[in-house]
Amino acid sequence: CINKININEAFDLVDSLLKVIPKTPKYTDSYLWLLNNKVGLLIRTSQSKEAIDQGLKLMKIAERNNMETWVIRAHIGLGWAHMELEKYNDAIKWLKEGIAMCKGKQVPMISGFLTSNIASCYNNIRQRDSAFYFINLALEYGSRDQNMLQMANALNIRADMFSNEKRFMEAERDLTE
Protein backbone atom coordinates (compact mmCIF):
# COMPACT_ATOMS: atom_id res chain seq x y z
CA CYS A 1 0.00 0.00 0.00
CA ILE A 2 1.37 3.39 -0.98
CA ASN A 3 1.06 5.98 1.73
CA LYS A 4 1.10 9.76 1.33
CA ILE A 5 4.73 10.09 2.43
CA ASN A 6 5.90 7.59 -0.18
CA ILE A 7 3.86 9.34 -2.88
CA ASN A 8 5.35 12.70 -1.96
CA GLU A 9 8.83 11.20 -1.94
CA ALA A 10 8.17 9.60 -5.32
CA PHE A 11 6.97 12.92 -6.78
CA ASP A 12 10.01 14.71 -5.34
CA LEU A 13 12.38 12.12 -6.74
CA VAL A 14 10.82 12.04 -10.21
CA ASP A 15 10.58 15.83 -10.43
CA SER A 16 14.18 16.32 -9.24
CA LEU A 17 15.48 13.80 -11.78
CA LEU A 18 13.42 15.32 -14.61
CA LYS A 19 15.08 18.68 -13.86
CA VAL A 20 18.65 17.39 -14.01
CA ILE A 21 18.58 14.68 -16.66
CA PRO A 22 20.42 15.86 -19.78
CA LYS A 23 18.14 16.69 -22.70
CA THR A 24 20.26 14.71 -25.15
CA PRO A 25 19.39 11.70 -27.33
CA LYS A 26 21.45 9.45 -25.06
CA TYR A 27 19.06 10.12 -22.16
CA THR A 28 15.74 10.37 -24.01
CA ASP A 29 14.66 6.85 -23.00
CA SER A 30 15.42 7.58 -19.33
CA TYR A 31 13.62 10.92 -19.50
CA LEU A 32 10.53 9.27 -20.98
CA TRP A 33 10.66 6.54 -18.33
CA LEU A 34 10.61 9.22 -15.62
CA LEU A 35 7.85 11.17 -17.33
CA ASN A 36 5.77 7.99 -17.68
CA ASN A 37 6.21 7.33 -13.96
CA LYS A 38 5.05 10.88 -13.23
CA VAL A 39 1.91 10.23 -15.29
CA GLY A 40 1.20 7.15 -13.17
CA LEU A 41 1.78 9.04 -9.92
CA LEU A 42 -0.55 11.82 -11.03
CA ILE A 43 -3.30 9.34 -11.89
CA ARG A 44 -2.87 7.48 -8.58
CA THR A 45 -3.29 10.76 -6.71
CA SER A 46 -6.46 11.79 -8.58
CA GLN A 47 -4.68 14.39 -10.69
CA SER A 48 -5.85 12.95 -13.98
CA LYS A 49 -6.08 16.27 -15.84
CA GLU A 50 -2.41 16.96 -15.04
CA ALA A 51 -1.62 13.37 -16.03
CA ILE A 52 -3.22 13.99 -19.42
CA ASP A 53 -1.01 17.05 -19.94
CA GLN A 54 2.09 15.06 -19.03
CA GLY A 55 0.95 12.10 -21.14
CA LEU A 56 0.57 14.35 -24.18
CA LYS A 57 4.06 15.74 -23.52
CA LEU A 58 5.39 12.17 -23.30
CA MET A 59 3.70 11.27 -26.59
CA LYS A 60 5.03 14.35 -28.38
CA ILE A 61 8.64 13.69 -27.33
CA ALA A 62 8.34 9.98 -28.12
CA GLU A 63 6.88 10.68 -31.57
CA ARG A 64 9.56 13.26 -32.33
CA ASN A 65 12.22 10.67 -31.45
CA ASN A 66 10.49 7.76 -33.26
CA MET A 67 10.18 5.79 -30.00
CA GLU A 68 7.07 3.75 -30.73
CA THR A 69 7.06 1.81 -27.44
CA TRP A 70 6.89 5.09 -25.51
CA VAL A 71 4.14 6.37 -27.80
CA ILE A 72 2.15 3.24 -26.97
CA ARG A 73 2.87 3.70 -23.25
CA ALA A 74 1.60 7.28 -23.55
CA HIS A 75 -1.64 5.86 -24.97
CA ILE A 76 -1.93 3.62 -21.90
CA GLY A 77 -1.51 6.60 -19.57
CA LEU A 78 -3.90 8.79 -21.54
CA GLY A 79 -6.50 6.04 -21.62
CA TRP A 80 -6.08 5.37 -17.91
CA ALA A 81 -6.35 9.06 -17.00
CA HIS A 82 -9.53 9.48 -19.04
CA MET A 83 -10.90 6.30 -17.48
CA GLU A 84 -10.32 7.74 -13.99
CA LEU A 85 -12.23 10.85 -15.07
CA GLU A 86 -15.05 8.52 -16.20
CA LYS A 87 -14.62 9.72 -19.77
CA TYR A 88 -14.84 6.17 -21.05
CA ASN A 89 -15.34 6.95 -24.74
CA ASP A 90 -12.22 9.15 -24.74
CA ALA A 91 -10.34 6.44 -22.87
CA ILE A 92 -11.44 3.82 -25.41
CA LYS A 93 -10.24 6.07 -28.25
CA TRP A 94 -6.73 6.36 -26.75
CA LEU A 95 -6.54 2.68 -25.86
CA LYS A 96 -7.74 1.55 -29.31
CA GLU A 97 -5.06 3.69 -30.93
CA GLY A 98 -2.46 2.04 -28.70
CA ILE A 99 -3.80 -1.43 -29.53
CA ALA A 100 -3.65 -0.64 -33.25
CA MET A 101 0.01 0.34 -32.86
CA CYS A 102 0.73 -3.06 -31.26
CA LYS A 103 -0.63 -5.10 -34.18
CA GLY A 104 1.95 -7.56 -35.44
CA LYS A 105 4.47 -6.71 -32.73
CA GLN A 106 5.67 -8.71 -29.74
CA VAL A 107 4.57 -6.42 -26.91
CA PRO A 108 2.41 -8.65 -24.69
CA MET A 109 2.96 -6.69 -21.47
CA ILE A 110 2.02 -3.40 -23.11
CA SER A 111 -0.82 -5.10 -24.98
CA GLY A 112 -2.03 -6.60 -21.70
CA PHE A 113 -2.38 -3.22 -20.01
CA LEU A 114 -4.09 -1.73 -23.06
CA THR A 115 -6.56 -4.61 -23.30
CA SER A 116 -7.33 -4.79 -19.58
CA ASN A 117 -7.97 -1.04 -19.41
CA ILE A 118 -10.19 -1.06 -22.48
CA ALA A 119 -12.09 -4.02 -21.01
CA SER A 120 -12.68 -2.00 -17.85
CA CYS A 121 -14.00 0.90 -19.95
CA TYR A 122 -16.36 -1.34 -21.88
CA ASN A 123 -17.51 -2.86 -18.59
CA ASN A 124 -18.31 0.61 -17.25
CA ILE A 125 -20.41 1.50 -20.29
CA ARG A 126 -22.08 -1.93 -20.13
CA GLN A 127 -20.76 -3.29 -23.42
CA ARG A 128 -20.19 -6.69 -21.89
CA ASP A 129 -19.27 -8.67 -25.04
CA SER A 130 -16.46 -6.23 -25.84
CA ALA A 131 -15.39 -6.15 -22.19
CA PHE A 132 -15.08 -9.95 -22.01
CA TYR A 133 -13.31 -10.11 -25.37
CA PHE A 134 -10.61 -7.66 -24.26
CA ILE A 135 -10.21 -8.98 -20.71
CA ASN A 136 -9.66 -12.49 -22.04
CA LEU A 137 -6.96 -11.08 -24.35
CA ALA A 138 -5.36 -9.35 -21.36
CA LEU A 139 -5.35 -12.63 -19.43
CA GLU A 140 -3.83 -14.42 -22.41
CA TYR A 141 -1.04 -11.82 -22.67
CA GLY A 142 -0.40 -11.88 -18.93
CA SER A 143 -0.24 -15.66 -18.87
CA ARG A 144 2.01 -15.87 -21.89
CA ASP A 145 4.34 -13.22 -20.42
CA GLN A 146 4.05 -14.72 -16.90
CA ASN A 147 3.38 -11.19 -15.64
CA MET A 148 1.72 -11.53 -12.23
CA LEU A 149 0.87 -7.82 -12.00
CA GLN A 150 -0.94 -7.98 -15.33
CA MET A 151 -2.73 -11.20 -14.35
CA ALA A 152 -3.85 -9.78 -10.98
CA ASN A 153 -5.13 -6.59 -12.63
CA ALA A 154 -7.01 -8.49 -15.34
CA LEU A 155 -8.49 -11.02 -12.90
CA ASN A 156 -9.69 -8.19 -10.66
CA ILE A 157 -11.36 -6.47 -13.62
CA ARG A 158 -12.96 -9.71 -14.80
CA ALA A 159 -14.22 -10.42 -11.27
CA ASP A 160 -15.96 -7.04 -11.33
CA MET A 161 -17.43 -7.91 -14.72
CA PHE A 162 -18.72 -11.24 -13.40
CA SER A 163 -20.18 -9.50 -10.34
CA ASN A 164 -22.04 -7.05 -12.57
CA GLU A 165 -23.66 -10.05 -14.26
CA LYS A 166 -24.49 -11.66 -10.90
CA ARG A 167 -22.04 -14.50 -11.69
CA PHE A 168 -20.65 -14.50 -8.17
CA MET A 169 -19.02 -17.94 -8.20
CA GLU A 170 -16.91 -16.97 -11.21
CA ALA A 171 -16.07 -13.60 -9.62
CA GLU A 172 -14.96 -15.38 -6.44
CA ARG A 173 -12.82 -17.78 -8.47
CA ASP A 174 -11.02 -14.89 -10.17
CA LEU A 175 -10.47 -13.05 -6.89
CA THR A 176 -9.17 -16.22 -5.24
CA GLU A 177 -6.77 -16.84 -8.13
Side-chain angles (χ1 to χ4, degrees):
C1 184
I2 300 174
N3 62 37
K4 191 170 182 71
I5 294 170
N6 290 342
I7 286 284
N8 290 336
E9 289 173 0
F11 269 117
D12 290 345
L13 178 61
V14 168
D15 286 337
S16 68
L17 291 171
L18 284 168
K19 287 178 186 172
V20 299
I21 195 165
K23 305 291 189 285
T24 62
K26 179 179 177 181
Y27 294 98
T28 302
D29 190 63
S30 298
Y31 181 84
L32 294 176
W33 181 81
L34 288 165
L35 195 53
N36 188 61
N37 278 285
K38 184 170 183 170
V39 169
L41 288 168
L42 288 164
I43 295 168
R44 285 181 179 89
T45 56
S46 301
Q47 299 177 68
S48 293
K49 290 180 182 178
E50 293 86 351
I52 291 168
D53 292 340
Q54 294 299 304
L56 291 170
K57 179 180 178 180
L58 169 66
M59 181 178 297
K60 183 178 178 181
I61 296 167
E63 287 175 339
R64 187 173 56 236
N65 288 281
N66 296 313
M67 301 175 87
E68 189 175 44
T69 299
W70 285 113
V71 174
I72 296 168
R73 287 182 184 268
H75 280 81
I76 294 170
L78 289 163
W80 182 19
H82 281 91
M83 188 170 58
E84 293 300 318
L85 292 169
E86 297 182 2
K87 294 182 176 183
Y88 300 114
N89 290 324
D90 290 335
I92 289 168
K93 177 187 91 58
W94 285 110
L95 296 166
K96 275 187 174 180
E97 286 178 15
I99 289 168
M101 294 179 79
C102 292
K103 294 282 190 228
K105 296 177 181 68
Q106 288 291 0
V107 286
M109 182 175 169
I110 292 172
S111 298
F113 286 109
L114 286 163
T115 52
S116 62
N117 283 348
I118 203 168
S120 181
C121 290
Y122 280 124
N123 183 45
N124 281 298
I125 61 173
R126 292 174 177 75
Q127 291 186 15
R128 303 285 191 241
D129 289 345
S130 294
F132 277 104
Y133 170 78
F134 282 107
I135 204 62
N136 289 331
L137 274 179
L139 287 163
E140 178 185 323
Y141 293 138
S143 176
R144 185 171 47 196
D145 206 31
Q146 295 185 354
N147 184 311
M148 295 300 118
L149 176 60
Q150 177 56 46
M151 293 293 296
N153 185 49
L155 287 165
N156 187 44
I157 292 167
R158 192 170 71 177
D160 183 57
M161 293 163 55
F162 283 140
S163 291
N164 289 336
E165 292 194 340
K166 310 274 188 261
R167 295 164 60 183
F168 300 117
M169 298 285 284
E170 290 160 297
E172 182 181 6
R173 182 196 67 221
D174 279 357
L175 291 173
T176 300
E177 186 177 339

